[in-house]
Amino acid sequence: MNTEIKRVAGFRIWDSRGRPTIEVEVILANGKIGRGVAPSGASRGSREAVDLRDGGPRDGGFGVECAVRNVNEIIGPALLGLDAREQVAVDHRLCELDPTPTKATLGGNALIATSLATLLAAAGSAGLPLWRYLAGAQAVRMPLPQIQIFGGGAHAGRRVDVQDFLVMPIGAESFDEALSICADIYRVAGELMAHRGRRFGVADEGGWWPAFDSNEDALKTLTESINVAGHGGRAMIALDIAASEFGRDGRYRLGLEAREFDTEGWLAQLCEWIERYPILSVEDPVAEDDDHGMRAFTAAMGQRIQIIGDDYLVSNAHRVGQAILDGACNAALLKPNQVGTISETFAAFEQAQSANWGTVVSARSGESEDVVITHLAIGWNAGQLKVGSFARSERMAKWNEGLRIERQSAGITGFAGRHALPLAINRWL
Ligand code: PGA
Ligand code: ZN
């Protein structure tokens, strides 16, 4: 089977926000085609790979003509003849083509779509589903989901400051049961909010678009929803604070409540919420440049809850390594488009795993029907998966793909559940 890359072509398609995005097809000499799609974030870390857009008046400035051209004219010709099974070599070539630290010349979107398309073409050549191709002989477990119940921050017109209010069904015995617990909580939360006139609609990732008076109101309502749904103790709360969106230079301002904190005050507020509500995981508790805040929070809470770096780590192995030395978090969010190639994402993943951190493979707020992210979480045996809420088909496609893999696949050895949490937390449970 000749797995040499024969043709690479970029196209414009549309994402879940109705914005253009880039799709790349990698065609091999054996006729296999891999198709990769770039997702896109709304609350992006400043060190992320650049999401290259045309700007100007057309498509609201979100056009991807320049990124498509980069694929067709620069990236494609440079990959011809490489073996698609040599993912590291292909990704290395991509990094050589754009050696800027944030892939600003060719665009992280052009690069990740190409990198993923190569991976999928290689898996297709092996005649294997992607998760199985990645897992090889390794036994893997289905990931514990993090499912958004309310959207906030940049995903819901900043109607609340905290970006994601999610649940983690740690008491489930299977992926199937985990989804069903989350579905109950999502439904009950929607009913409670509608009854109280607090439900405006659905936010970018499918969570309810809330109309609460305070961030704490959202926490109260989520806790109540878990209990009313009958899942108290079986489902815990995860928060993605995405604090870079409202914190700068050591000041944190909650727009909804017109309250402002310094780092210490803000951390004290978070700790108070953790005392009062069943919170098991907190992502980006402070702004991406607040190293002191990350270390202080992890020192105070790192044995009790999962502390995830997203904007803080940007799926970068070097930053994960530094954060391990600094004790700045105990889990990594892994978003392939944040760093630009699949091999670099995997390097960050391995680095995090080597420290017994939690590893959460994550989609973006701008997505497509593509389900590759589910395969990465399972194939890498990452333990946790976060792809938004329990509505909107670009989200459900990814959860449903997990169900198909769980029910069809002999190579799955159960459900990661609470064992997916960082080692320090498992001791506490
Ligand atoms: P984004 O947000 O995809 O809009 O950047 C997701 C997250 O912060 O986890
Ligand atoms: Zn985040």
Side-chain angles (χ1 to χ4, degrees):
M1 284 267 271
N2 190 341
T3 47
E4 268 181 26
I5 296 176
K6 207 165 164 220
R7 200 170 110 78
V8 179
F11 305 92
R12 178 185 68 178
I13 62 165
W14 301 89
D15 78 6
S16 55
R17 282 192 271 250
R19 292 179 186 162
T21 189
I22 180 167
E23 174 166 275
V24 171
E25 285 183 3
V26 166
I27 303 164
L28 307 187
N30 62 17
K32 292 288 176 202
I33 302 178
R35 226 169 250 123
V37 183
S40 121
S43 70
R44 304 166 44 77
S46 64
R47 296 179 187 87
E48 285 194 27
V50 166
D51 188 0
L52 191 67
R53 302 286 174 166
D54 300 336
R58 279 185 55 197
D59 296 322
F62 291 107
V64 290
E65 241 174 65
C66 52
V68 168
R69 202 176 322 117
N70 289 343
V71 169
N72 291 332
E73 294 176 7
I74 302 170
I75 297 172
L79 298 188
L80 299 186
L82 291 187
D83 188 336
R85 293 172 305 183
E86 303 293 332
Q87 187 71 38
V88 173
V90 170
D91 288 340
H92 185 69
R93 177 72 62 86
L94 293 175
C95 293
E96 278 175 353
L97 292 172
D98 186 346
T100 62
T102 55
K103 284 134 176 135
T105 315
L106 298 177
N109 44 350
L111 296 179
I112 193 62
T114 308
S115 182
L116 287 170
T118 305
L119 180 67
L120 285 156
S125 296
L128 294 170
L130 180 59
W131 76 268
R132 173 44 87 201
Y133 176 72
L134 291 169
Q138 188 196 9
V140 295
R141 291 199 281 196
M142 291 300 292
L144 173 69
Q146 276 198 19
I147 296 192
Q148 190 197 58
I149 305 299
F150 315 132
H155 301 162
R158 303 188 193 280
R159 191 54 192 73
V160 285
D161 302 282
V162 171
Q163 180 181 281
D164 292 4
F165 294 84
L166 313 104
V167 288
M168 300 172 83
I170 51 160
E173 303 278 326
S174 66
F175 188 73
D176 180 70
E177 189 191 358
L179 294 189
S180 136
I181 290 173
C182 294
D184 285 342
I185 297 166
Y186 183 72
R187 189 182 61 250
V188 167
E191 286 164 6
L192 284 177
M193 291 164 81
H195 186 65
R196 293 169 191 172
R198 297 288 183 203
R199 192 172 108 191
F200 268 21
V202 158
D204 281 14
E205 293 193 10
W208 301 116
W209 184 305
F212 296 119
D213 290 332
S214 69
N215 290 277
E216 187 161 353
D217 253 8
L219 276 170
K220 257 187 223 151
T221 309
L222 184 49
T223 307
E224 187 185 349
S225 305
I226 292 171
N227 291 332
V228 171
H231 296 306
R234 295 212 293 166
M236 304 283 277
I237 295 176
L239 298 176
D240 181 0
I241 308 287
S244 303
E245 295 288 310
F246 60 87
R248 195 152 297 120
D249 303 325
R251 305 294 301 174
Y252 293 86
R253 193 184 146 69
L254 299 180
L256 177 59
E257 301 161 34
R259 287 201 294 159
E260 193 169 322
F261 305 83
D262 59 12
T263 299
E264 264 61 41
W266 174 236
L267 293 182
Q269 173 66 83
L270 287 178
C271 292
E272 206 183 297
W273 286 344
I274 291 163
E275 289 304 329
R276 219 173 286 159
Y277 303 97
I279 297 170
L280 184 54
S281 179
V282 176
E283 179 176 329
D284 284 345
V286 295
E288 60 184 1
D289 54 5
D290 194 343
D291 292 309
H292 157 74
M294 288 299 292
R295 288 196 299 264
F297 189 60
T298 303
M301 286 288 159
Q303 298 204 307
R304 192 162 155 184
I305 62 161
Q306 172 166 262
I307 299 166
I308 307 175
D310 170 16
D311 294 353
Y312 187 69
L313 300 173
V314 290
S315 304
N316 176 308
H318 178 73
R319 288 192 62 80
V320 173
Q322 191 58 51
I324 292 168
L325 293 176
D326 291 346
C329 24
N330 63 22
L333 204 75
L334 297 150
K335 294 167 162 170
N337 81 320
Q338 214 170 27
V339 63
T341 64
I342 206 68
S343 305
E344 289 167 285
T345 315
F346 187 67
F349 165 76
E350 282 200 304
Q351 182 78 268
Q353 288 257 313
S354 74
N356 290 316
W357 277 19
T359 46
V360 188
V361 172
S362 169
R364 302 305 303 247
S365 54
E367 273 291 334
S368 69
E369 65 280 14
D370 186 48
V371 295
V372 75
I373 205 77
T374 304
H375 284 258
L376 294 177
I378 299 170
W380 288 347
N381 203 20
Q384 296 180 63
L385 175 63
K386 178 185 183 220
V387 304
S389 191
F390 216 64
R392 297 182 59 136
S393 288
E394 79 279 4
R395 314 287 150 191
M396 301 319 293
K398 295 165 178 61
W399 299 128
N400 286 336
E401 184 73 354
L403 289 176
R404 281 179 209 112
I405 295 173
E406 179 173 65
R407 81 168 176 255
Q408 288 169 4
S409 302
I412 304 283
T413 57
F415 176 61
R418 66 183 61 190
H419 304 291
L421 294 166
L423 199 61
I425 313 306
N426 281 329
R427 278 192 221 113
W428 167 74
L429 274 171

